[in-house]
């Protein structure tokens, strides 16, 4: 039998609150192409996402929080999945992979997530800051993982791709009138300039 030659390696990435056991951010991934002979929406093959609906996901997350709440190590086997995790202030960061996945690779993903969040959120990785900067956190996760495929593990590169535009660019945009009247004025100005050019050309 041929070995698994897929780049797919992450089943889920989770950010959960330790205070009230709530979900802050969760992304579950399924392999884009199941093995030959397996139905398209089946969950009983290696690497498949066994948590297709929100009820199963919530149960998995609750059990995961209970299991890792008092753990001292960063890698566990839970529900036949390898789970690497890090605690930051009042949140837990999780990366979930299949039971045959490389633990070191998954550990590098969790370190990249933690370090890029520390850069983006200025060492203030807590529930309130993550919710206030949800867009940056979501973009950072998308830069690290795309559909379960690990793209980047360097936190500096991830943070540089995610950061907000410079302040001087924002002030230039504020001077533009984007109301209906402003757009109509811009249209009329463009029309006049085009008419002048056409007259000069004839």
């Amino acid at each position: 039998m041929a070995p698994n030659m897929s780049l797919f390696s992450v089943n889920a990435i989770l950010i959960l609150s330790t205070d009230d056991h709530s979900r802050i951010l969760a992304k579950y991934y399924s392999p884009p192409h199941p093995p030959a002979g397996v139905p398209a929406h089946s969950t009983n093959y290696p690497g498949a996402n066994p948590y297709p609906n929100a009820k199963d996901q919530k149960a998995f997350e609750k059990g995961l929080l209970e299991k890792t709440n008092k753990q001292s190590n960063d890698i566990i086997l839970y529900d036949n999945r390898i789970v690497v995790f890090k605690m930051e202030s009042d949140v837990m960061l999780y990366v979930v992979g299949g039971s045959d996945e490389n633990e070191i690779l998954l550990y590098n993903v969790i370190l990249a997530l933690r370090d890029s969040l520390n850069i983006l959120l200025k060492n203030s990785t807590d529930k309130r800051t993550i919710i206030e900067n949800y867009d940056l956190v979501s973009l950072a996760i998308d830069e690290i993982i795309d559909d379960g495929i690990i793209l980047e593990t360097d936190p500096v590169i991830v943070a540089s791709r995610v950061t907000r535009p410079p302040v001087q660019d924002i002030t230039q945009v504020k001077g533009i009138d984007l109301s209906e009247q402003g757009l109509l004025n811009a249209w009329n100005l463009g029309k006049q300039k085009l008419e002048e050019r056409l007259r000069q050309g004839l």
Side-chain angles (χ1 to χ4, degrees), residues 19 25 27 98 144 166:
D19 293 340
L25 187 143
K27 292 191 176 201
I144 296 170

Side-chain angles (χ1 to χ4, degrees), residues 21-97:
H21 301 288
S22 64
R23 173 194 287 189
I24 299 172
L25 187 143
K27 292 191 176 201
Y28 287 85
Y29 306 104
S30 292
H33 307 290
V38 176
H41 297 291
S42 176
T43 60
N44 56 359
Y45 61 90
N49 182 8
Y51 317 108
N53 56 37
K55 181 181 175 187
D56 295 339
Q57 292 172 2
K58 292 278 190 178
F60 172 73
E61 292 164 11
K62 181 181 178 195
L64 191 59
L65 262 173
E66 290 171 0
K67 174 92 174 177
T68 59
N69 204 10
K70 306 241 184 328
Q71 290 283 335
S72 60
N73 53 357
D74 295 338
I75 301 174
I76 63 167
L77 186 65
Y78 179 73
D79 199 21
N80 202 24
R81 303 272 168 215
I82 293 176
V83 180
V84 293
F85 60 95
K86 285 285 184 190
M87 173 112 176
E88 287 289 317
S89 182
D90 60 347
V91 295
M92 291 285 274
L93 310 172
Y94 295 96
V95 174
V96 181

